Amino acid sequence: KVKQILSPGCKGEGATPVKGFQSQTKVSLKSVDRFYDTFIPDLHDGRHPIPMIVVYHGDGGSGADIRAQYKIEDASGGKAIVVYPDAAAPQKQWDLERGGDSNPDIALFDAIVKSLTETYCVDTNRVFVAGDSRGGFFANQLGCQRGGSIRAIASNSGGGPFATTADFDGNLNCPQKPVAALIVHGATDTEVLPKEGQSSRD
């Protein structure tokens, strides 16, 4: 059984948290405005910790798109906070090339986790990441680069993670602990070839 680690947002007698769907929360990172959508379930009472799931869309998409496509809130049974970040315009693509401190999308993940764990009562040992297509690639990248703060990842039609250091020698060495991973890939996928998912598995 995974031990609960409470976040600062577990305030006990604090104010009742805002619940339901919250669209386009803004966070500024190095003078760039970034946005994400959040769903806070009715189960959340500010005292009992619940998991958090961060879900990444594919190229050209948005958090709203993948929310409509995958219905993660329903799948979680209303027992988790669900977050849907938007990739930066105009490309709307996640950065797969750079490591932690220099990657604005990893910085966005860090900022989201910090903000939500300070505001809501989150079991910080049950933070999950999922993604589809390039979002799946990014979920794999976060699993490598942020293994210390993620319990598990799920990648659908993704690949990677890729090396983000100049001294890569052919074997990917993630800087933090390994995470559990669910890797799903259609055998007839023509957009992201199945060998990419196989590479993630390997």
Side-chain angles (χ1 to χ4, degrees), residues 109-110 113 124 126-128 146-151 176-177:
F109 171 79
D110 292 342
V113 171
T124 60
R126 290 193 294 165
V127 174
F128 302 92
R146 288 295 182 265
S149 57
I150 295 172
R151 175 69 183 92
Q176 299 182 349
K177 68 179 183 180

Side-chain angles (χ1 to χ4, degrees), residues 14 35 37 58 81-82 102 106 153 165 172 180:
F35 298 90
D37 298 340
I81 293 171
V82 189
S102 63
I106 293 179
I153 60 173
T165 57
L172 181 65

Side-chain angles (χ1 to χ4, degrees), residues 179-202:
V179 299
L182 170 66
I183 300 168
V184 180
H185 212 112
T188 59
D189 191 336
T190 58
E191 294 292 325
V192 179
L193 297 180
K195 67 180 182 180
E196 297 289 352
Q198 293 167 351
S199 177
S200 297
R201 176 203 64 193
D202 294 344

